C-alpha cells in the first residue's frame, strides 16, 4: 500500500508542479483533495486484500470513516476492489467515479469522470498504462482502453480503443494515432 501511494504522490510531484519550491512540491501536492482521497482508496484496497485478520480488521476500521469523510468532501468514489497500478493522479476532484476491472500504471484522471459498467453489456472497462482522461469523459462498458491513450474532455467511450491514440466526441472516435500530447510521457518498451 505504502509503495503504491508513494508512486502516486511521486508522479504528481514530478509532473504537475509549475513552481518548484518546497510548499508547492511537498505541501500543496500532498494535501490536494485528489491525493488525500487516494490515501483512503489505497487503504481500502489494502484492506480488501490483506491476509492477516488483525491487520485486515484494523485497515477496514480506519478505511470506513476516512472513505465516508473524504468521499463526501471530494466527490470521488473508487470501490476498494478496483485494481489500480502505481502512479495514479486524480488531477482535480469532484464527480470522479472509477469502477473498472483494472487501471494500469501512470494514469491521470480529471474532474467529472466516470469509468464503469454500462449495465447493458454487463462488464467494466480495463484501462492500460499511461492513459489520460479529460474532464467530463465517460468510459462505459466491457471495453479495453490501450496504452498511451488520451481520452479528450467530454468524450463518451463505449468501444475499445487501441494503443497510442487520441479519442474525442460522443460517441468517441479516434482522431490521432500519432500521439503527441504533452499529457503523456511515453514509456520505454519493456525488454
Amino acid at each position: 500500500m505504502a509503495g503504491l501511494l508513494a508512486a502516486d504522490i511521486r508522479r504528481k510531484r514530478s509532473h504537475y508542479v509549475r513552481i518548484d519550491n518546497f510548499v508547492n512540491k511537498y505541501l500543496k501536492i500532498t494535501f490536494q483533495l485528489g491525493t488525500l482521497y487516494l490515501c483512503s482508496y489505497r487503504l481500502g484496497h489494502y484492506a480488501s486484500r490483506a491476509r492477516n485478520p488483525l491487520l485486515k480488521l484494523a485497515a477496514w476500521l480506519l478505511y470506513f470513516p476516512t472513505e465516508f469523510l473524504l468521499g463526501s468532501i471530494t466527490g470521488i468514489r473508487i470501490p476498494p476492489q478496483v485494481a489500480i497500478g502505481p502512479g495514479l493522479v486524480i488531477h482535480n476532484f469532484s464527480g470522479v467515479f472509477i469502477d473498472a476491472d483494472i487501471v494500469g500504471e501512470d494514469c491521470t484522471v480529471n474532474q467529472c469522470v466516470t469509468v464503469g459498467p454500462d449495465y447493458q453489456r454487463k462488464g467494466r472497462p480495463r484501462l492500460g498504462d499511461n492513459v489520460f482522461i479529460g474532464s467530463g469523459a465517460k468510459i462505459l462498458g466491457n471495453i479495453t482502453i490501450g496504452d498511451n491513450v488520451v481520452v479528450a474532455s467530454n468524450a463518451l467511450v463505449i468501444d475499445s480503443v487501441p494503443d497510442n491514440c487520441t479519442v474525442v466526441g460522443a460517441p468517441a472516435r479516434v482522431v490521432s494515432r500519432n500521439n503527441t500530447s504533452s499529457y503523456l510521457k511515453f514509456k520505454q518498451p519493456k525488454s
Side-chain angles (χ1 to χ4, degrees):
M1 177 188 99
L4 292 172
L5 186 58
D8 298 338
I9 294 171
R10 189 171 35 255
R11 179 167 178 263
K12 194 165 188 177
R13 282 182 185 150
S14 67
H15 294 292
Y16 296 102
V17 174
R18 300 254 186 243
I19 300 170
D20 192 8
N21 62 34
F22 179 81
V23 171
N24 287 334
K25 192 168 187 172
Y26 295 100
L27 297 179
K28 284 177 95 175
I29 290 293
T30 304
F31 293 104
Q32 285 180 345
L33 292 176
T35 308
L36 290 175
Y37 185 85
L38 279 177
C39 296
S40 173
Y41 158 74
R42 294 290 185 194
L43 178 63
H45 187 70
Y46 171 79
S48 71
R49 296 185 181 265
R51 295 175 193 254
N52 182 320
L54 290 176
L55 288 177
K56 187 177 193 91
L57 178 62
W60 280 124
L61 289 174
L62 187 58
Y63 168 73
F64 285 119
T66 58
E67 163 63 22
F68 177 77
L69 178 66
L70 289 171
S72 298
I73 291 170
T74 64
I76 300 171
R77 176 73 177 109
I78 305 172
Q81 296 79 14
V82 175
I84 298 177
L88 176 67
V89 171
I90 299 178
H91 192 50
N92 297 309
F93 68 96
S94 185
V96 175
F97 176 72
I98 301 173
D99 187 11
D101 273 342
I102 189 165
V103 176
E105 297 179 11
D106 297 332
C107 290
T108 303
V109 177
N110 280 289
Q111 69 270 14
C112 299
V113 166
T114 298
V115 178
D118 68 356
Y119 299 107
Q120 293 174 352
R121 288 186 266 179
K122 307 284 190 217
R124 298 180 306 177
R126 294 162 303 285
L127 278 63
D129 295 339
N130 206 33
V131 174
F132 175 86
I133 307 172
S135 302
K138 310 295 181 248
I139 301 173
L140 302 174
N142 187 15
I143 61 174
T144 301
I145 306 298
D147 297 338
N148 305 315
V149 170
V150 174
V151 178
S153 295
N154 297 317
L156 172 61
V157 184
I158 55 175
D159 293 313
S160 292
V161 176
D163 293 346
N164 304 316
C165 64
T166 299
V167 295
V168 301
R173 66 190 185 290
V174 175
V175 294
S176 172
R177 291 189 186 269
N178 186 3
N179 243 325
T180 58
S181 174
S182 62
Y183 290 114
L184 297 180
K185 180 181 176 189
F186 290 96
K187 294 181 177 191
Q188 297 299 323
K190 295 178 183 175
S191 354

